[in-house]
């Protein structure tokens, strides 16, 4: 449930406006953590925000707020530091080239 909003955002706001692209989801163990990566080669968050401000749609997404609440609950219950890292990717000419989201959970011993 924590990854779903990131995957949905990658598709709806990243690759669909580009009329194609890729979203890659991977999960791996890395140095005592479970690392979940959502990587897209879409239009990037800056352009997606500009597109959103140009529409007359009044829908307000609550996905990111829910993710933060779920992660805070996880950290409270498990007394462990889960984290979310979002990177705006750039191409060689410094143009938006998609988004990389990394969600980490400490692995139980």
């Amino acid at each position: 449930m924590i990854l779903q909003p990131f995957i949905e955002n990658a598709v709806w706001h990243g690759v669909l406006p580009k009329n194609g692209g890729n979203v890659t989801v991977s999960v791996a163990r890395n140095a005592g953590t479970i690392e979940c990566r959502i990587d897209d080669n879409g239009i990037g968050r800056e352009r997606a925000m500009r597109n959103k401000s140009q529409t007359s749609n009044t829908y307000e997404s609550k996905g990111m707020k829910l993710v933060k609440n779920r992660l805070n609950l996880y950290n409270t219950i498990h007394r462990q530091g889960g984290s979310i890292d979002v990177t705006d990717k750039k191409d060689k000419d410094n143009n938006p080239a998609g988004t990389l989201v990394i969600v980490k959970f400490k692995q139980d011993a």
Side-chain angles (χ1 to χ4, degrees), residues 4 12 34 38 45 51 53 61 70 76 90 104 108:
Q4 184 271 335
W12 285 106
I34 304 295
I38 301 96
R45 292 190 306 161
N51 288 351
S53 69
S61 172
R70 288 179 189 140
T76 300
K90 303 284 185 177
K104 293 182 183 178
D108 291 334

Side-chain angles (χ1 to χ4, degrees), residues 67-82:
V67 166
K68 289 178 183 175
N69 289 342
R70 288 179 189 140
L71 189 59
N72 287 338
L73 180 60
Y74 169 84
N75 287 337
T76 300
I77 291 171
H78 297 284
R79 300 184 197 283
Q80 295 185 4

Side-chain angles (χ1 to χ4, degrees), residues 27-48:
V27 178
R29 290 183 182 159
N30 185 9
T33 64
I34 304 295
E35 183 176 286
C36 309
R37 299 170 65 95
I38 301 96
D39 191 358
D40 74 69
N41 64 346
I43 63 171
R45 292 190 306 161
E46 183 181 321
R47 185 166 160 208

Side-chain angles (χ1 to χ4, degrees), residues 38-66:
I38 301 96
D39 191 358
D40 74 69
N41 64 346
I43 63 171
R45 292 190 306 161
E46 183 181 321
R47 185 166 160 208
M49 289 301 289
R50 283 196 310 260
N51 288 351
K52 184 178 179 181
S53 69
Q54 294 172 357
T55 66
S56 61
N57 190 351
T58 58
Y59 172 76
E60 181 183 346
S61 172
K62 294 174 183 64
M64 300 313 298
K65 184 176 181 179
L66 290 172

